[in-house]
Amino acid sequence: MRLEILALTAVLFGCSGESSIALYPLDQVPASTRISIPYQTVELRSVSLPLYAEAEEIPILVDDGSIRTNSDLLWADAPERAVTEQLVRSLAGITGAVVAAEPWPLEDFPTLRIEVRVNRLLASGTGPLEFTGTWFASARDRRGRDVTQPFEISVPFEGEGLAARTTAQSEATRQLAELIAKRLAR
């Protein structure tokens, strides 16, 4: 009986000891400024990421120009969802507007819809993080004018390793939210 309990315990907790997989979450960077925009409700479509940035493995740019991953170093959430939700929180914090990711969860339609298409979200092991792409905004009432704006954000690493990378990515997302808010405030 005792041997059966030990065997069951080994199966339940794994025979190989501790897991070597490391999960890295994106942290929320608090809004450092407040920017009023002429829209009370904003819908953010899911942020479109390049294929290498959509994977759960964290991509790293290496010296030969290739992108490498390690299946033991993973994002703690689906990258598209994590970046989208982080941008939602940053935009809401900076603008004071009601901001939500698609599908729009409220009864009344949003007054503005934003789409972000990222073409580069990458860093070497020591940085900096490069975050580039284009964002689009369209007012639902058609009284506002549509906006198309490219962005190029580079954030140096503060510290070392993948924890510094996640901090840089969080800061880059906050900076994008601030750029969007400043442009919409005009």
Side-chain angles (χ1 to χ4, degrees), residues 50-67:
L51 182 61
Y52 64 82
E54 287 180 349
E56 68 179 328
E57 294 91 5
I58 299 172
I60 298 175
L61 181 64
V62 293
D63 291 339
D64 67 3
S66 65
I67 299 170

Side-chain angles (χ1 to χ4, degrees), residues 9-39:
T9 302
V11 168
L12 289 174
F13 292 103
C15 298
S16 62
E18 287 187 36
S19 172
S20 63
I21 296 174
L23 299 176
Y24 292 87
L26 291 178
D27 297 322
Q28 185 61 33
V29 178
S32 59
T33 186
R34 185 70 173 222
I35 301 169
S36 180
I37 63 172
Y39 306 96

Side-chain angles (χ1 to χ4, degrees), residues 32-53:
S32 59
T33 186
R34 185 70 173 222
I35 301 169
S36 180
I37 63 172
Y39 306 96
Q40 294 181 343
T41 54
V42 178
E43 178 185 38
L44 179 67
R45 297 195 65 197
S46 292
V47 175
S48 172
L49 298 174
L51 182 61
Y52 64 82

Side-chain angles (χ1 to χ4, degrees), residues 97-141:
V98 174
V99 184
E102 70 175 336
W104 185 249
L106 304 175
E107 188 171 323
D108 290 335
F109 289 111
T111 53
L112 183 73
R113 181 179 223 188
I114 296 174
E115 182 170 342
V116 177
R117 296 180 186 170
V118 176
N119 54 20
R120 188 169 181 88
L121 180 54
L122 195 57
S124 68
T126 57
L129 178 89
E130 298 172 13
F131 187 36
T132 65
T134 305
W135 65 271
F136 308 85
S138 179
R140 293 288 222 179
D141 62 7

Side-chain angles (χ1 to χ4, degrees), residues 135-169:
W135 65 271
F136 308 85
S138 179
R140 293 288 222 179
D141 62 7
R142 297 290 175 210
R143 285 183 281 169
R145 51 179 230 241
D146 292 343
V147 177
T148 300
Q149 190 76 45
F151 63 91
E152 290 185 16
I153 298 170
S154 180
V155 179
F157 284 12
E158 293 183 18
E160 296 180 9
L162 289 176
R165 158 58 183 278
T166 61
T167 300
Q169 187 163 325

Side-chain angles (χ1 to χ4, degrees), residues 74-93:
L74 307 175
W75 291 115
D77 194 358
E80 180 180 284
R81 179 182 141 25
V83 172
T84 300
E85 289 301 319
Q86 190 173 51
L87 190 53
V88 162
R89 288 189 306 272
S90 291
L91 276 170

